[in-house]
């Protein structure tokens, strides 16, 4: 295996419930949970892409003014073997109740700190959830 893996660029959302748990999603055919989000289309701004993905996958409306940038994180992709995934992640507020749609098979709410109780993608478990935990704790 070469050490130069193709990198997939995505946008990812952290949505917290009133108990401070993060929403994670599992795609059909996948065994690990990931942050909601996806790949931007050509010419799409990151938050535009995130708003579109959240609408398609969860049926919620992104409140763009609420978005807190968490940073850019990279790790191995769980749904595309041999690829790395680089996510621009935001902690966001949404309008509506998330429901599994499109390629999403299941939703779950997990604590920001381990144990999460579910198999999470490395990107979520080791990068995105710790980042939002640090920001949420600081508030």
């Amino acid at each position: 295996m070469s050490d130069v893996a193709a990198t997939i660029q995505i946008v990812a959302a952290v949505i917290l419930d009133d108990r401070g748990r993060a929403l994670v999603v599992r795609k059909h055919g996948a065994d690990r949970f990931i942050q909601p989000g996806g790949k931007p289309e050509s010419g799409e701004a990151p938050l535009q892409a995130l708003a579109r993905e959240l609408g398609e996958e969860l049926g919620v409306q992104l409140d763009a003014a609420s978005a807190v940038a968490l940073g850019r994180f990279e790790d191995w992709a769980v749904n595309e073997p041999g690829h790395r995934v680089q996510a621009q992640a935001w902690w966001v507020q949404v309008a509506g109740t998330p429901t599994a749609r499109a390629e999403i098979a299941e939703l779950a709410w997990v604590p920001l700190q381990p144990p999460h109780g579910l198999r999470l993608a490395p990107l979520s478990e080791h990068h995105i959830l710790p980042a939002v935990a640090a920001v949420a704790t600081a508030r």
Side-chain angles (χ1 to χ4, degrees), residues 4-62:
V4 181
T7 301
I8 302 162
Q9 301 290 332
I10 62 165
V11 290
V14 177
I15 300 166
L16 300 182
D17 69 4
D18 56 8
R19 293 170 49 193
R21 297 175 305 172
L23 180 67
V24 290
V25 301
R26 185 178 61 76
K27 292 185 176 184
H28 291 285
D31 67 346
R32 288 182 185 252
F33 284 80
I34 59 175
Q35 301 311 127
K39 300 178 185 102
E41 292 175 354
S42 177
E44 214 174 23
L47 283 173
Q48 274 182 308
L50 198 59
R52 177 183 52 75
E53 290 282 355
L54 293 176
E56 288 172 5
E57 296 182 353
L58 301 172
V60 296
Q61 290 77 49
L62 171 66

Side-chain angles (χ1 to χ4, degrees), residues 1-8 74-76 80-85:
M1 179 149 175
S2 82
D3 52 10
V4 181
T7 301
I8 302 162
E74 184 177 320
D75 210 318
W76 290 102
E80 306 187 45
H83 289 75
R84 291 185 68 80
V85 63

Side-chain angles (χ1 to χ4, degrees), residues 91-134:
W91 175 14
V92 300
Q93 311 291 321
V94 296
T97 302
T99 51
R101 301 162 76 147
E103 69 263 35
I104 303 304
E106 189 181 354
L107 308 178
W109 296 92
V110 298
L112 294 180
Q113 310 286 357
H116 301 292
L118 293 171
R119 293 189 64 197
L120 299 179
L123 195 67
S124 292
E125 185 171 1
H126 303 305
H127 303 282
I128 296 176
L129 293 184
V132 80

